[in-house]
Amino acid sequence: MIDKRGLRARLRAVRDAHGPGLLPVARPFLDRLLPGLTVAAYRPLGAEADPMLWVEAALHAGAALALPHVVDRASPLRFLAWEDGQDLSVGAFGLHQPAPDAPERTPDIILTPLVGFDRRGNRLGQGAGHYDRAFAAHPDAWRVGIAWGIQEVEALTPDPWDVPLHAIATETEWIIP
Ligand SMILES: Nc1nc2c(c(=O)[nH]1)N(C=O)[C@@H](CNc1ccc(C(=O)N[C@@H](CCC(=O)O)C(=O)O)cc1)CN2
Ligand SMILES: Nc1ncnc2c1ncn2[C@@H]1O[C@H](COP(=O)(O)OP(=O)(O)OP(=O)(O)O)[C@@H](O)[C@H]1O
């Protein structure tokens, strides 16, 4: 039985030792983009891989953007509209988020920050269940995990509520489970 909390602490340390940076855009993401689609991205926390080049590609393709908005661990995440260049404010967990009254959006693609992952599409997140619940609420969205390659682990044991990723992007690989 894996100790998820211990593993999470170890993988956060591995990620932070890597340091921040922009993740290059993966070709299959570009191929998927269409005008009018909604792409949910995120603003990185600490040394999370930064998807800003993916955001630029999405805008270039005419897609709309959303960012996650959370208020605490217990409440569900909402994806809120984010117009290009729009100011963000710092909220829960130090996250840069849209204003709480920004319109809610249904994502077609969810770019998901990972704490850890395995090659089968299993994911370890922050442990509040924000993305677990978002995946359950948006079952038709394309779930792409984003991480540095060193955040890979041999195998994660999925919990009953876990919804696997469709793909994982790292700085060197596009992994299809
Ligand atoms: N950039 C980013 N945005 C995100 C997430 C994320 O993981 N990364 N989320 C993912 O669900 C949601 C926010 N949920 C969160 C839940 C818990 C913690 C948390 O426990 N933070 C730790 C430090 C985290 C770290 O260093 O990795 C803390 O505050 O001590 C953070 C975000 C939505 N937005
Ligand atoms: N669909 C759901 N509805 C309600 N609660 C959920 C749902 N999915 C997960 N949860 C709860 O959220 C918590 C998620 O913990 P877990 O350790 O699996 O998070 P995680 O793998 O780090 O992922 P996340 O990024 O979503 O936090 C658990 O307590 C679980 O009971």
Side-chain angles (χ1 to χ4, degrees), residues 97-162:
Q97 309 191 127
D101 59 352
E104 207 158 332
R105 293 277 184 256
T106 300
D108 298 294
I109 299 177
I110 303 179
L111 303 180
T112 312
L114 306 177
V115 174
F117 67 94
D118 71 17
R119 270 176 194 267
R120 290 154 67 178
N122 297 312
R123 180 182 71 83
L124 187 70
Q126 295 291 1
H130 287 140
Y131 278 100
D132 280 330
R133 286 177 280 170
F135 287 178
H138 302 288
D140 298 331
W142 194 42
R143 301 178 293 274
V144 178
I146 293 192
W148 304 120
I150 46 166
Q151 292 170 251
E152 178 179 347
V153 298
E154 180 64 34
L156 291 167
T157 309
D159 284 307
W161 55 79
D162 279 329

Side-chain angles (χ1 to χ4, degrees), residues 16-32:
D16 291 345
H18 176 283
L22 291 166
L23 196 84
V25 182
R27 184 78 230 177
F29 173 72
L30 296 178
D31 292 344
R32 187 98 175 195

Side-chain angles (χ1 to χ4, degrees), residues 40-43 66-72 75-81 88-93 95-104 130-131 134:
Y42 59 90
R43 291 294 301 270
L67 285 179
H69 183 278
V70 302
V71 293
D72 54 29
S75 318
L77 172 169
R78 294 182 304 141
F79 291 111
L80 303 184
L88 297 171
S89 44
V90 179
F93 309 105
L95 292 162
H96 287 79
Q97 309 191 127
D101 59 352
E104 207 158 332
H130 287 140
Y131 278 100

